[in-house]
Amino acid sequence: MGSGHSHNHGHAHAHGHSHAHGHGHAPADFTNAFAIGVVLNTGFVIIEAAYGFWSGSMALIADAGHNLSDVLSLLLAWAASVLAKRAPSQRFTYGFKSSTILAAMANAGLLMVALGAILFETINRLADPAPVAGMTMVIVAGIGIAVNTGTALLFMRGRKDDLNIRGAFLHMAADALVSVGVVVAGIAILLTGAWWIDPVTSLVIVAVIAWGTWGLLRDSVKMGLLAVPEGIEEGEVRNFLSSLPGVDAVHDLHIWAMSTTETALTAHLVMPAGATGDGFLRDVSDRLAHDFRIGHTTIQIETTRDCDSC
């Protein structure tokens, strides 16, 4: 008897662990990428903030503030990727895989706080524009383009498979684009002498960062709420299971993200004639891994379904 179910079933379980492309594979090792990214960006934050204050550029200070939050984001993502590899224990039977989801949420929250502080100061500067050293903006932001582009490239190969890595990649890629904007603003100030260009550029930077942050926050919250991961349609999985030979019904189907790279599924299959053996369960697990990128599968076979509470 299953917990809370008054129907007859066998405890047939299949655990399929796949390394297929997508949610069903083991996370890649980005230790070196994180280390290089943290060192490069920490050094650049110090340089950019110092020159921002010296030149009076709010755009540089805004970019430095965002880069500082990126350093913290990289550290969080790095810690989560390390924790995700720890073996399960009696207390944490899944290990610490979901720490990658928590890190993505924390990074989104961290960015929101940074955006609020930058926006407040930028509005004050817009109301009272101050002299800005345009050439300093151009040179420092130019260095930023190189640093952020280089760091983004370190995470490019993992951006489609792991929300945690995607967060790091998007932050760095957005920073590179933002630095391009600061360079353009610096040149415009040199040509026109219009100091208001600096705080307006800062507002554009805030808007760009907010857009990327919203996507990261939305996706991480969905994962935290155990939503079906992006790229997997619950209806298609249900139809696949229902179409299996001997299956009369599918219920208690659950699909959720165990981490930012691994997806799990549990389901009850009503098979009046019973399963044909362990081979059936292995085949189902392999198909789910290959076709739907679901790497952790538990299937329960039931010969009857005589209750409505399932």
Side-chain angles (χ1 to χ4, degrees):
M1 299 292 289
S3 146
H5 303 294
S6 59
H7 47 255
N8 208 2
H9 61 73
H11 292 282
H13 301 280
H15 299 279
H17 301 282
S18 164
H19 295 277
H21 178 76
H23 289 282
H25 67 82
D29 188 355
F30 285 89
T31 300
N32 291 337
F34 280 122
I36 294 171
V38 168
V39 170
L40 284 178
N41 281 272
T42 299
F44 180 61
V45 164
I46 295 172
I47 294 172
E48 188 172 34
Y51 276 95
F53 283 111
W54 176 75
S55 66
S57 170
M58 195 57 223
L60 277 180
I61 295 172
D63 197 29
H66 177 53
N67 276 310
L68 177 60
S69 72
D70 278 347
V71 172
L72 298 178
S73 295
L74 286 174
L75 290 172
L76 279 171
W78 189 0
S81 69
V82 171
L83 286 174
K85 296 172 186 174
R86 292 185 60 176
S89 66
Q90 290 183 338
R91 176 64 62 184
F92 298 96
T93 56
Y94 275 134
F96 293 89
K97 297 179 184 297
S98 61
S99 62
T100 54
I101 299 174
L102 296 177
M105 284 186 184
N107 280 334
L110 182 65
L111 280 171
M112 289 293 188
V113 173
L115 284 175
I118 295 171
L119 184 61
F120 178 79
E121 184 60 33
T122 299
I123 292 175
N124 287 339
R125 182 61 66 90
L126 191 59
D128 183 22
V132 175
M135 184 55 68
T136 300
M137 288 176 63
V138 172
I139 294 173
V140 176
I143 297 172
I145 294 173
V147 170
N148 291 315
T149 300
T151 305
L153 291 175
L154 296 174
F155 298 102
M156 180 175 286
R157 65 187 174 94
R159 71 189 189 284
K160 294 182 180 179
D161 302 331
D162 186 343
L163 184 66
N164 195 35
I165 299 301
R166 186 181 118 199
F169 171 79
L170 287 178
H171 284 315
M172 297 300 110
D175 281 351
L177 292 176
V178 165
S179 294
V180 171
V182 175
V183 168
V184 172
I187 293 173
I189 290 172
L190 286 174
L191 294 176
T192 66
W195 297 337
W196 57 266
I197 293 176
D198 177 63
V200 168
T201 301
S202 184
L203 286 177
V204 174
I205 291 173
V206 168
V208 171
I209 298 168
W211 178 259
T213 300
W214 168 246
L216 181 62
L217 180 63
R218 180 194 61 220
D219 292 344
S220 60
V221 168
K222 283 182 180 178
M223 282 190 170
L225 294 175
L226 304 183
V228 176
E230 295 291 331
I232 300 176
E233 294 295 331
E234 192 267 0
E236 292 181 5
V237 176
R238 185 178 293 275
N239 290 337
F240 161 70
L241 294 174
S242 298
S243 68
L244 293 170
V247 175
D248 276 7
V250 177
H251 64 97
D252 284 292
L253 173 60
H254 302 285
I255 309 168
W256 73 97
M258 296 173 62
S259 72
T260 52
T261 60
E262 297 172 85
T263 301
L265 173 149
T266 61
H268 293 205
L269 305 185
V270 179
M271 303 181 69
T276 55
D278 289 346
F280 169 81
L281 296 171
R282 282 194 298 270
D283 289 344
V284 173
S285 179
D286 289 343
R287 285 284 303 278
L288 287 169
H290 181 269
D291 296 348
F292 300 99
R293 300 176 299 170
I294 299 173
H296 298 262
T297 303
T298 301
I299 301 293
Q300 182 165 294
I301 305 301
E302 301 166 358
T303 54
T304 64
R305 181 182 180 188
D306 52 11
C307 76
D308 296 324
S309 62
C310 305

